[in-house]
Amino acid sequence: MFDRFQGRSARWLVALALLPALATARVYYSKPQLANVSTGLFESKVNGYWYRGSGVVARDSRLIFSCAHVFFDSGVWATDYLFHRQWHAQAYPVRSKGVTPRGFHYFTSYSDAAATVGDESNRAFASDFTVFYGNPSFGPAMPVWPDGGLAVRSQRSKQIVGYPSDIDFTGAAGFCFQHSTGAFNYGAYRILGAYHEFDDVSTGPGNSGGPVFVRDDRGEEKLAGVLVSGWNRLAGVRTLDLASHTISGYALGLQDKTRSFANTNRSLLSDGSYVSKAVTVSGFEGTLSSLRLNLSATTANRGALDVYLRSPSGKIRWIMKRSADSRDNVTIRGMDLSGSFSGTNPNGVWRLFLRDAAGGGRCYFDNCALVVSAL
Amino acid sequence: MTGPRKTTSLRLLGALVAAAALGVLWLLSGHGEGQRPPEESPGNATIAAPEDHSASEAAEKRGESMIGGRSSHLLGRLHDVAASLASNDNPDRSLGMLSELRADIESMDPESVSLAFRRFLESGVDAPTCLRLAAGTDGTLDAWPTLRVFILDRLPSVDPEAGLELSLRVMEVMTSPDEYAIALRNLAWSDLDGDLRGELIQRLDRMFSRADWVAQSSPGLLEAIDAAVLLPEDEGVGVALRITALGNSTVNQPLTRAAMMALDRIVERNPALLVDWEPGECLQPEQRASLMSRIDPSEAEQLPVFSDYLAGLANERELAVFSRLFPNGNQLQGNRLFSASLPTVSIERRREKDVRILDAIRDLEFSAGSPAAVALQQIRERLEAGIKTSNGE
């Protein structure tokens, strides 16, 4: 369908399988106030069609947070993305005035597109999140909440801003004005992971990527998440979390910190049963980028050992399995397990499981250490 | 603005009533509809008189009977959860039940949990949850479509060997693509030094040989495509290309998208794969352009590939996408069942690479006015403008 003011074809950047937008506004309203100077209208060309949505400059002037439902449609990357910060007019902005990010980091799952129809459609793209980056300064950056989920679930003052093409699903055209829900303070409900839903608030189709701001104790507005779905009187929000903090942090060139966590409680390994040695990791603000293992065990027959590592969320990775290796003792230094665990939340209790599977001997766990790197 | 959710107090009341009902059912257990197995009580376990066995053997048997008792209790609970799920149509409630079960299991001894899980899986009982399969941060799941998928997901963390054994059985009977996906993941987790890699490839191929599963394209099947990224590169590319071709030919957009994601992630890891690559007719022109946009002409062996590709581009759509996208600075991140994502490239490193690529293509030439020459000029101008801006010019 066509935008009636510029004859520009537009499709809505919505989570709900591209609802058809209304061509004609049935209700006229007074022009709203500009709500936030860091928020802007986003446009992108995918498979020859232009889409629109919203985005916000946050954390740093070189980053824009949004979502990107259709930026990788059928395996084809979008081109020609344009950001028009604090655009606030009835007509579309002139494309030549838009700022083009260098690229984007698109957080999505393989199965996102499978949920665009049916009962689950309002939760389609629940993990969808994008950080656009660029060389130029996109404008003043909003500060961010490290744990957006905690912020949106609180009773703090909030607002959702952006560029809905249809106001609150009423049929009233939003044109290209920036809109806000106004302040509200009730909390969202956590549905799954970083995906939350607000009852009794909505902005309208076309506002995907619209920022969700939450005020802190000093009254400062900070970005807590982006709008990823919506319906009449319901808003789905993907909140900022460890993953978004990591993606944006690495984009800015932040360096990991590396720390070692050990368990030095020497103990005898039972014949046949696993012994669990806990290693508690803490203090990281990003997902794991590197994990190395050190392990010492005293044994007359290392081939009798079964050893595996379990992450705080339950993923296992074998270190050693029973074998014909009859040499004594085990000394592992710097075994690289990054490929198995990178992207994991490193904080929590890791467990090393060991057993003397052959029995009959005296096998001791001496010590182990996990060397963890993350933001 | 209107007030908070009106159903909060009703939900709380409902949860309390449900909890009380479950408690009554548990107390009255053994009088159900035949789905629950016969109860085992410690008194039924075989314990010989102490004078007939050594003290340690007696203690071992008492230990087994304790495990049997706790396992029976958990098994009963699993069947109760199955019954509750079967009569529930609220996904949030399902998620709550399973999250609570998951937390409780973590405080139980692994032997009891493993035994109960195995017995439940062998019973054939299952229940839908109204949830979609959703991958968590390190390949474990955050949401499970059925109770059996939940158990298959959690079993390796309490008993890896049992997890593998039961996963192999699940993959043999092939009753559910979501179960198969998690079983395949458990197989990958059991691999120590690549010894199971060949089996992983075979099992992945078998999964996609099921036309009905492919047509359905459940979340589990789509997430399983990530296994291609774990394979040796040539094998992974082959698998992902076949699936993409399947998606293209059947106009299965979710399948195509997932397969192209895997391909993009493989090629991003090693753009040199494009040097000897011949996708043939598997890909649509724009898809080919998206993948080729990963090529790095600052690497000597890839420069002629870039040049030949641009020179040979006859399809206008492909040329348009490639000239606007190259060099591709986008990255896919996310939670994966099998593979890890590459770390995000920093803005500075991206700029440095753009400088190297611009240097590499600066002296390339095509026939004046040819589509390749026009495209190359567009690429150069875009790179130059971006680099100047980043230099503050």
Side-chain angles (χ1 to χ4, degrees), chain B residues 152-278:
Chain B
L152 277 170
D153 177 46
R154 302 315 303 167
L155 183 53
S157 69
V158 295
D159 188 343
E161 286 98 345
L164 176 62
E165 179 194 334
L166 284 157
S167 294
L168 290 172
R169 283 196 227 163
V170 162
M171 288 190 282
E172 281 305 309
V173 298
M174 296 187 80
T175 52
S176 153
D178 286 350
E179 283 185 26
Y180 196 102
I182 301 310
L184 194 67
R185 181 209 69 182
N186 294 347
L187 175 67
W189 283 7
S190 300
D191 188 4
L192 178 59
D193 293 313
D195 49 325
L196 295 175
R197 201 54 62 86
E199 184 163 4
L200 188 68
I201 296 169
Q202 281 176 17
R203 300 275 188 183
L204 185 62
D205 276 339
R206 274 193 79 197
M207 186 176 195
F208 285 90
S209 70
R210 283 284 298 259
D212 54 333
W213 285 7
V214 170
Q216 185 191 350
S217 284
S218 73
L221 180 127
L222 295 175
E223 296 293 339
I225 292 173
D226 185 51
V229 182
L230 199 63
L231 300 178
E233 287 165 345
D234 287 346
E235 312 243 24
V237 166
V239 167
L241 267 179
R242 286 196 293 277
I243 299 172
T244 303
L246 194 53
N248 283 341
S249 64
T250 56
V251 197
N252 184 331
Q253 193 271 347
L255 188 71
T256 303
R257 177 182 181 273
M260 283 297 297
M261 279 178 64
L263 264 175
D264 185 83
R265 296 179 70 230
I266 295 170
V267 171
E268 185 197 3
R269 279 158 166 73
N270 185 11
L273 285 171
L274 295 169
V275 171
D276 296 318
W277 189 46
E278 294 180 9

Side-chain angles (χ1 to χ4, degrees), chain B residues 252-326:
Chain B
N252 184 331
Q253 193 271 347
L255 188 71
T256 303
R257 177 182 181 273
M260 283 297 297
M261 279 178 64
L263 264 175
D264 185 83
R265 296 179 70 230
I266 295 170
V267 171
E268 185 197 3
R269 279 158 166 73
N270 185 11
L273 285 171
L274 295 169
V275 171
D276 296 318
W277 189 46
E278 294 180 9
E281 299 303 315
C282 287
L283 301 180
Q284 293 167 355
E286 296 94 335
Q287 291 170 338
R288 200 161 43 236
S290 274
L291 286 175
M292 289 301 294
S293 70
R294 294 275 181 211
I295 201 149
D296 183 359
S298 70
E299 298 289 331
E301 64 173 349
Q302 297 180 40
L303 179 59
V305 177
F306 169 84
S307 176
D308 292 346
Y309 173 70
L310 205 52
L313 267 181
N315 185 289
E316 281 184 19
R317 292 196 324 263
E318 186 172 352
L319 188 64
V321 170
F322 183 80
S323 64
R324 283 171 168 76
L325 197 48
F326 174 85

